[in-house]
Amino acid sequence: MDVDGGSTSGAGSSGGAQSVPVLSRRQKALYQFTQQSLPACKPILTPAWVITTFLSLGVILIPLGLVALRASQSVVEIVDRYDNDCIPMPHRSNKVAYIQDESISKNCTRVLKVVHKRMKAPIYIYYQLDNYYQNHRRYVKSRSDPQLLYGLKYKDISSCKPEESNNNQPIVPCGLIAWSLFNDTYTFVHRTMELKVNRKNIAWKSDRDHKFGKDVYPFNFQNGTLIGGGKLNPTVPLSDQEDLIVWMRTAALPSFRKLYGRIEEDLEAEDLIVVHLVNNYNTYTFGGKKKLVLSTSSWLGGKNDFLGFAYIAVGSSCIFICVVFLLVHVKTPRKIPTHVFRVGMLIYLVGLEVLES
C-alpha cells in the first residue's frame, strides 16, 4: 500500500511541471465568449435617460413621417375599375357566359380624367386584381423554374400539374401560373393622338437574365381544350416576353398590382384620356375585380400613406409617453442610490480594461 501511494505521488509531481499555454487576444476573447464570461455594460435606466430617449425618438420620427407622407401625397394616381362597366347590359345577368363566349366582342372604351395635378413622365400603367389568390399553395407550386431556363431539355415537369402536358407533349412554359396569364390589353388616346406605351424593361433584370432562357421558346402553349389566359408568341424567347415574366412573380396578397407599361410623356391637369381596352380576362368566375391604374412616382416609390402615418403615430406615442413619464417624475421623483452608479461605472471600466488587454 505504501509503495502504491509513493508511486502515485511521484506521478502527480511530474504532471504538475506542465506549462500553461498562453492564449492570444483572439483566443482569450473566444474563450470568454464560449464560457459566457465576457464583460458587459449594464445601462442604468434613470428617469432622465428614459425621458430623453422617448423625446429623441419622437423628435426624429415625426418629421420623418411628415416627409414620407408629403412624398406619398405628391404622387398622382388614377384608379378605374372596369370589370362591371365593360359588360354590356344584356349580359350582366350572366357575366361568366359572356366572358367565355369568344364570338362576342370584348372591346370597351373608358374615359379617364387627370385631376388636380400634372402627371410627369414616366407614368406607370398597372393592372390591379382583387380577390385573386396567387399565393395559394397549389397555384404557387404549379411551375418549373428549370424548364423556364432550359426549355425542352429539362424533362421533369411533374411539379407543373395539372398543366404539364397536352396531347402527350410537354407544355412550355408549363404550370397553372403561366396558363392563367393576364391578357387584357389597353390602348391610350390623348387629344386624338395615340399615346405610345413602352413595355420594355417592365420586369426585373435579374429575372430576364437568369430565370428565363434566351433560347427557350413557347411550345404547345394554350393548345388544350380549356384556355386559361393569354397566349404567347412562339417566335419570341421567354426572356423577351416581359408580360409573362412579370406575371410569373406571384403576389403575396389577394389584392395586387402588376406593371403593364410606361407612358413616356407628361399629362396636364384636367386632360382627358380615352382608353380602348379588350376585356378578355375572366375574373367573374371567382368574384374578382379588375382595375386600371395610372400612377406617377416619387423618390419614395408609389402612393402609400401607411409609412408616413406609421412614423407619425409611433413618434406621437413616444412624445406622449415622454410627457407622462416627465409628469410622474416631477410629482414623485425617484432618487437613484449612489452605490448603484458606482457599481455601474466599475463594471464599465473593468470591461474597457479587459477589452483593451
Side-chain angles (χ1 to χ4, degrees):
M1 291 293 293
D2 294 338
V3 175
D4 293 340
S7 61
T8 305
S9 176
S13 62
S14 62
Q18 295 178 354
S19 60
V20 179
V22 179
L23 299 178
S24 65
R25 183 178 179 181
R26 175 177 293 183
Q27 290 174 330
K28 185 177 181 180
L30 181 61
Y31 176 79
Q32 290 176 323
F33 175 76
T34 55
Q35 298 301 315
Q36 299 185 9
S37 60
L38 282 173
C41 177
K42 185 178 181 180
I44 301 171
L45 298 179
T46 62
W49 270 103
V50 174
I51 292 171
T52 304
T53 300
F54 278 108
L55 179 62
S56 302
L57 287 174
V59 170
I60 293 172
L61 292 178
I62 291 178
L64 283 177
L66 292 175
V67 171
L69 196 58
R70 180 179 177 83
S72 176
Q73 294 295 335
S74 67
V75 174
V76 184
E77 185 176 273
I78 303 173
V79 181
D80 177 55
R81 180 183 174 184
Y82 63 89
D83 56 293
N84 285 330
D85 293 342
C86 284
I87 299 290
M89 289 299 298
H91 298 280
R92 291 191 179 180
S93 60
N94 194 345
K95 299 176 182 178
V96 176
Y98 163 79
I99 202 69
Q100 292 178 346
D101 191 345
E102 296 183 358
S103 63
I104 302 177
S105 173
K106 305 300 190 300
N107 294 330
C108 181
T109 300
R110 308 286 292 170
V111 179
L112 308 180
K113 184 177 182 180
V114 181
V115 292
H116 305 309
K117 294 181 182 179
R118 180 189 186 197
M119 300 185 75
K120 297 182 180 180
I123 301 170
Y124 296 93
I125 307 168
Y126 300 92
Y127 56 88
Q128 177 175 327
L129 297 178
D130 296 333
N131 198 35
Y132 194 117
Y133 289 84
Q134 271 198 320
N135 58 353
H136 191 282
R137 182 171 179 267
R138 187 177 182 186
Y139 184 87
V140 171
K141 291 180 64 178
S142 183
R143 63 184 294 165
S144 175
D145 290 326
Q147 191 210 52
L148 295 174
L149 188 60
Y150 302 111
L152 294 173
K153 299 176 185 177
Y154 188 79
K155 304 298 183 182
D156 185 10
I157 54 174
S158 57
S159 61
C160 290
K161 291 181 180 179
E163 292 295 324
E164 76 278 14
S165 63
N166 180 44
N167 294 328
N168 296 323
Q169 289 185 322
I171 299 173
V172 180
C174 65
L176 286 173
I177 303 177
W179 175 79
S180 60
L181 175 64
F182 186 81
N183 61 340
D184 283 6
T185 59
Y186 312 102
T187 304
F188 301 87
V189 177
H190 178 233
R191 297 175 182 173
T192 69
M193 297 292 294
E194 182 176 337
L195 293 174
K196 183 179 180 181
V197 177
N198 183 4
R199 303 202 64 192
K200 293 291 184 182
N201 298 322
I202 60 174
W204 291 13
K205 188 176 185 301
S206 58
D207 288 353
R208 298 195 307 265
D209 295 344
H210 304 294
K211 291 189 175 182
F212 291 79
K214 292 180 173 56
D215 57 351
V216 179
Y217 294 85
F219 176 77
N220 198 25
F221 185 70
Q222 300 286 27
N223 288 337
T225 55
L226 184 61
I227 305 299
K231 297 185 178 182
L232 298 175
N233 189 341
T235 63
V236 178
L238 295 185
S239 61
D240 293 338
Q241 308 220 28
E242 296 195 40
D243 51 348
L244 171 69
I245 300 175
V246 170
W247 181 256
M248 293 293 288
R249 184 166 284 278
T250 54
L253 300 176
S255 295
F256 58 87
R257 294 178 180 179
K258 291 185 182 291
L259 186 60
Y260 181 84
R262 291 184 300 273
I263 298 175
E264 305 288 354
E265 61 180 87
D266 297 344
L267 297 176
E268 301 297 332
E270 307 300 329
D271 276 355
L272 295 179
I273 306 169
V274 179
V275 184
H276 300 290
L277 63 90
V278 183
N279 183 27
N280 288 320
Y281 201 69
N282 183 8
T283 57
Y284 308 100
T285 303
F286 53 89
K289 302 175 184 177
K290 292 189 291 186
K291 298 175 183 177
L292 173 64
V293 181
L294 300 183
S295 176
T296 59
S297 64
S298 67
W299 60 271
L300 200 58
K303 189 176 184 64
N304 187 355
D305 296 339
F306 174 78
L307 185 62
F309 283 125
Y311 274 129
I312 293 174
V314 175
S316 302
S317 301
C318 290
I319 295 293
F320 176 76
I321 294 172
C322 168
V323 172
V324 171
F325 281 4
L326 181 60
L327 294 176
V328 172
H329 180 61
V330 170
K331 184 178 180 180
T332 57
R334 181 170 65 94
K335 293 184 178 180
I336 306 299
T338 307
H339 71 276
V340 175
F341 285 103
R342 291 177 179 174
V343 171
M345 185 59 68
L346 180 61
I347 294 173
Y348 177 71
L349 294 175
V350 170
L352 287 180
E353 290 180 1
V354 172
L355 291 176
E356 290 176 356
S357 64

